[in-house]
Structures are given as C-alpha cells and as structure tokens.
C-alpha cells in the first residue's frame, strides 16, 4: 500500500456527508443499541443520492464486521487507550474500515474522516492513522468476534463453529434468490427454485426482476416453507414480513394468510406479491391477539428472535444482543408457539423457525413445547426437502450453522422444526 500524503489541515473533502451519516449510524448501534437497518432512515435522511446512503451503510457495516480487530489496531498505535465512546475512536474506525476493508485510498479515507472530529484531537487521529498505514496495517482473514458472543457460542457449539463464524463475518455474503417457478438468473442452484449469485450488482437490474420471477431470500431462510411442501390447502404465515416465506407458499399452491404487526414491512410484502403476480390475504395484526376464523392445514411461525443467525448480513446484532434480550425473545416465542399450535387442524403441520444461533431459541424451545403438548410430534425433514449439503439432525429438526456450505458461500444460522398434530 502506498504511503498516504496527509495534511491535518486539508480542506473539507467531497463525500464527507456520507461519512457523517456513517458516524451517526455507528452511534445509533453502539451507543444507543438500535438495529442498523432501523437507524438507517434517520441517519441518512439528509443524503439525497442513493449512492451516498449506500456508502454510509457500507462503511458502518464494515466497521461492525471488524470492530474488535479495528480497535486492536487503534490500541496498538496509541500510548493511552482511547475511551470506547470517544469520537476519535469512532472516526479512526471509519477511516480504517474504508482503507482496510472497502479499499478506499488511504488519503481519501483520512481526508473524509478528519473533519468528523469537529475540533477535537485531529492530530491524534491523523497521527494514529498515518502510523498504521506506514506500518502496512492489515486485518486478519478471520474476524475476531465480540468476547461475549465468542464465549456463548463456544459453550453451545464448540470452537470449530466459532472459527467458522469468524471467517463468515469477515466476508460479504453472496446473493440468494428464491424462484417463483423454474426461470431465474444464471447462478448456482443449491436447491429447487433457488439461485446463488456472485457480484450480482443492483437487485432491480437483474434479469427477471420486473417480471417477478424471483425474490431475495437466504437459502437457509427458505427451508421453513420448503418443509410445508406444496398445496392445496390453507396456510397461515405468522410474523410474515418482509414476506419471503409467504411468496414461497403462494408459489407452491397454498392459499395463504400472511399476518404481521408492522404495516411498513407488510407494504413491502404487498409490493412483492404484485411484482411476482402471487396472491395472499395480508393482515396487519398482533399474533398474540388475532386468531383465525378456523384452524388451518399448515401454520408457519418464523418467530421474532435475537437474529444472531443472520450476523453475516446484519453484523450489528453481535454488538446489540445481550442475555436479557435473548430471554425476552424466548418468552415471546413461547407465547406465540402456544397460540399457533391451537390454529392447526388435527393431522396438520406446524413449522417453527428462528434465525438464531442460540440454543434457548431453538432446541430448548422445542423440548419445552413437546413436554407440554402430547398432541404434537416431530415430523423429520428428509434429504429430498433440504438444500444440497444440509442434513436434518438425528431428531428430525434442521439446524444450520456457520461453516455449512462454506465452499459454496455459506448459510445463515437457523433452527427449523416441522411438527405434526395428531
């Protein structure tokens, strides 16, 4: 890497508004505990160009992916550690993430970072960044996970899984598409009605977008609906937004009722239903209050959870999720699962899923449910129903972990079980 020519008194550079927005995003996540996506609109509201909003998001996500490693570099180049919430540390994270993760030329990274210090220790930020660049600073191939996440996952899954997760979060995940039928862009098919793309570019420019031939959905996230198979019959998709599973069920011939409490997220589902020319009865409601007029042939509950399984796409979860949050989601899942179980016809199926890597939100939740409900039993997933390289557990449920399909681009972490009501 060429040595940057830096000046602490450089004039304000183009692109600075996007960096300011990235700083606001990081503050929202790391100091206020907000999800990155939830903070995006407020933090980037003054940016007119979509490209600038995308850049702010990319910078913040890069920092969150490599936060412990970036902090280790910063601490190794300062005589006294900067406070975790010091603006100088936040600005150095932004500058280093651009230079070491996103490939921004170092002179551009620091020129757009120094003004963010706002009259603070500009010389310190300039000096630390320059020292690291002159020393050819590099990030390790495998990211360092937050210490509490590392400890929790090591205890639950072992060191091999943690190593796989550290490799996974250091890479941008590939794009998975679920297909309405057989047509779709060129890519790797790891299951029926699936494509995986590298270097896909803007979503709306891909072949078949306007014709509604597909929608974006991680391969692991497609498994719950796959386990309900094809219709006909009435299927209820609870906590349905943003709607990938609703689209799958509708494409498979089910008459679908999609319920969610978020009007804005359901609006996105309705847009995708129109684009794909699929149909579903979309209802805004709370699953703890709403109930169907009659039991259904199938109920799919992709329950609210800690979302630690989607850390590859949403690295902020690893910096926000605490044991108290996990306990809260477990309690909510228990209530939702008990209600959903009452809405299945005798002989019908209930699929419970979470995009979580926490045992409490998966295996332990299942054991508690089965102990209380003698009218339900696991209906094991079969190899023919699952993507290539994914196998059911000996008990019949499906658990996807970091490291699965690593050579093909990996998978999000999910727990999925199909239950049959007697």
């Amino acid at each position: 890497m060429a040595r940057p020519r830096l000046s602490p008194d450089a004039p304000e550079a183009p692109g600075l508004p996007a960096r300011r927005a990235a700083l606001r995003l990081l503050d929202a996540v790391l100091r206020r505990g907000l999800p990155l996506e939830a903070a995006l609109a407020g933090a980037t509201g003054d940016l007119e160009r979509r490209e600038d909003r995308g850049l702010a998001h990319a910078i913040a996500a890069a920092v969150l992916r490599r936060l412990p490693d970036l902090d280790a570099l910063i601490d190794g180049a300062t005589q006294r550690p900067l406070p975790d919430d010091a603006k100088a540390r936040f600005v150095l994270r932004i500058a280093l993430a651009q230079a070491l993760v996103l490939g921004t030329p170092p002179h551009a990274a620091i020129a757009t970072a120094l003004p963010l210090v706002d009259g603070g220790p500009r010389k310190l930020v300039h000096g630390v960044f320059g020292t690291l660049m002159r020393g050819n600073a590099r990030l390790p191939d495998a990211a360092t996970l937050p210490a509490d996440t590392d400890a929790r996952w090591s205890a639950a899954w072992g060191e091999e899984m943690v190593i796989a997760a550290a490799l996974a979060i250091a890479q941008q995940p590939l794009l998975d598409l679920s297909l309405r039928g057989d047509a779709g862009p060129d890519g790797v098919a790891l299951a029926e009605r699936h494509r995986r793309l590298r270097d896909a570019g803007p979503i709306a420019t891909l072949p078949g977008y306007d014709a509604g031939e597909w929608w974006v959905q991680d391969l692991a996230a497609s498994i719950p609906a796959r386990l309900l198979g094809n219709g006909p019959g009435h299927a209820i998709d609870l906590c349905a937004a943003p709607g990938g599973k609703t689209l799958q069920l509708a494409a498979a011939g089910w008459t679908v009722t999609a319920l969610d409490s978020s009007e804005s997220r359901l609006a996105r589902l309705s847009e995708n239903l129109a684009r794909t020319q699929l149909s579903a009865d979309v209802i805004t409601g709370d699953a703890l209050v709403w109930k169907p007029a009659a039991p259904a042939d199938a109920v799919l509950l992709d329950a609210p959870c800690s979302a630690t399984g989607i850390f590859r796409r949403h690295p902020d979860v690893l910096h926000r999720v605490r044991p108290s949050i996990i306990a809260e989601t477990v309690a909510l899942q228990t209530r939702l699962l008990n209600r959903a179980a009452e809405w299945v016809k005798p002989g019908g199926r209930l699929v419970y899923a979470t995009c979580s890597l926490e045992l409490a939100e998966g295996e332990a939740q299942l054991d508690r449910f089965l102990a209380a409900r003698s009218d339900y039993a696991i209906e094991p997933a079969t190899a023919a129903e699952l993507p290539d390289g994914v196998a059911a557990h000996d008990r019949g449920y499906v658990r996807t972990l970091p490291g699965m399909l690593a050579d093909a681009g990996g998978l999000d972490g999910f727990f999925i079980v199909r239950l049959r009501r007697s």
Side-chain angles (χ1 to χ4, degrees):
M1 181 181 294
R3 179 181 297 183
R5 298 180 179 180
L6 309 172
S7 170
D9 301 316
E12 184 166 299
L16 181 57
R19 277 71 176 186
R20 283 204 178 103
L23 182 61
R24 291 194 292 266
L25 280 171
L26 290 172
D27 180 80
V29 172
L30 297 176
R31 295 211 291 184
R32 292 190 282 141
L34 296 179
L36 180 60
E37 301 301 325
L40 191 60
T44 64
D46 62 339
L47 302 180
E48 296 182 358
R49 299 173 66 244
R50 182 176 61 183
E51 293 81 1
D52 289 338
R53 295 193 295 272
L55 176 59
H57 182 277
I59 292 171
V63 170
L64 295 168
R65 287 181 186 281
R66 306 308 301 260
L67 186 62
D69 298 314
L70 294 171
D71 281 347
L73 289 176
I74 294 167
D75 292 340
T78 54
Q79 293 182 344
R80 290 179 295 179
L82 295 169
D84 286 345
D85 61 351
K87 180 171 281 189
R89 182 180 288 277
F90 273 71
V91 171
L92 279 166
R93 290 165 172 166
I94 287 173
L96 290 170
Q98 290 179 81
L100 302 181
V101 180
L102 300 180
T104 305
H107 69 274
I110 194 62
T112 53
L114 285 177
L116 301 177
V117 185
D118 291 338
R122 289 168 62 105
K123 289 185 177 180
L124 171 65
V125 171
H126 177 270
V128 170
F129 184 85
T131 296
L132 291 171
M133 293 299 99
R134 289 190 294 272
N136 293 317
R138 294 288 186 273
L139 293 171
D141 291 339
T144 301
L145 300 179
D148 55 345
T149 301
D150 188 309
R152 193 172 66 249
W153 287 356
S154 292
W157 306 111
E159 190 64 24
E160 185 176 346
M161 177 276 202
V162 173
I163 293 172
L167 288 168
I169 198 172
Q171 306 295 324
Q172 188 69 29
L174 303 182
L175 180 68
D176 281 339
L177 306 178
S178 286
L179 309 185
R180 184 185 63 196
D182 296 326
D186 292 337
V188 177
L190 298 174
E192 290 185 7
R193 297 186 175 185
H194 168 263
R195 295 289 187 277
R196 174 164 286 183
L197 282 63
R198 294 181 181 272
D199 304 319
I203 300 298
T205 65
L206 292 175
Y209 175 83
D210 291 333
E213 294 176 354
W214 49 264
W215 54 92
V216 175
Q217 185 180 36
D218 184 80
L219 180 58
S222 75
I223 295 175
R226 291 178 184 276
L227 294 190
L228 288 179
N230 295 324
H234 178 212
I236 301 174
D237 185 9
L238 296 175
C239 310
K245 299 171 186 66
T246 294
L247 298 173
Q248 283 181 275
L249 294 171
W254 292 91
T255 300
V256 186
T257 298
L259 179 81
D260 200 277
S261 60
S262 172
E263 286 190 26
S264 60
R265 284 161 57 84
L266 282 177
R268 180 179 169 190
L269 168 56
S270 296
E271 291 170 2
N272 276 323
L273 284 168
R275 181 175 64 85
T276 57
Q277 301 175 53
L278 295 169
S279 63
D281 183 16
V282 179
I283 300 173
T284 302
D286 183 348
L288 293 175
V289 177
W290 178 88
K291 62 180 181 179
D297 300 286
V299 175
L300 194 162
L301 173 60
D302 187 358
C305 68
S306 64
T308 51
I310 56 175
F311 69 93
R312 299 185 308 154
R313 303 176 193 280
H314 302 279
D316 56 295
V317 300
L318 300 189
H319 304 286
R320 295 186 296 101
V321 171
R322 303 178 301 278
S324 60
I325 292 177
I326 296 172
E328 289 172 6
T329 60
V330 167
L332 176 59
Q333 291 153 14
T334 300
R335 296 174 66 194
L336 289 169
L337 188 53
N338 288 337
R339 284 184 65 82
E342 296 300 325
W343 302 340
V344 180
K345 291 179 180 179
R349 288 166 161 174
L350 168 64
V351 169
Y352 169 77
T354 58
C355 57
S356 169
L357 287 166
E358 314 305 324
L359 288 167
E361 297 181 285
E363 289 83 349
Q365 190 71 264
L366 171 65
D367 290 342
R368 185 163 47 248
F369 177 79
L370 291 177
R373 298 295 301 243
S374 60
D375 56 335
Y376 275 94
I378 297 173
E379 184 177 350
T382 67
E385 296 172 309
L386 298 175
D388 296 341
V390 176
H393 186 272
D394 290 344
R395 292 180 59 191
Y397 60 75
V398 179
R399 165 61 78 179
T400 60
L401 291 170
M404 288 185 176
L405 302 184
D407 292 342
L411 281 176
D412 284 349
F414 261 80
F415 175 85
I416 308 116
V417 62
R418 177 174 59 197
L419 301 157
R420 177 79 76 170
R421 189 173 193 182
S422 61

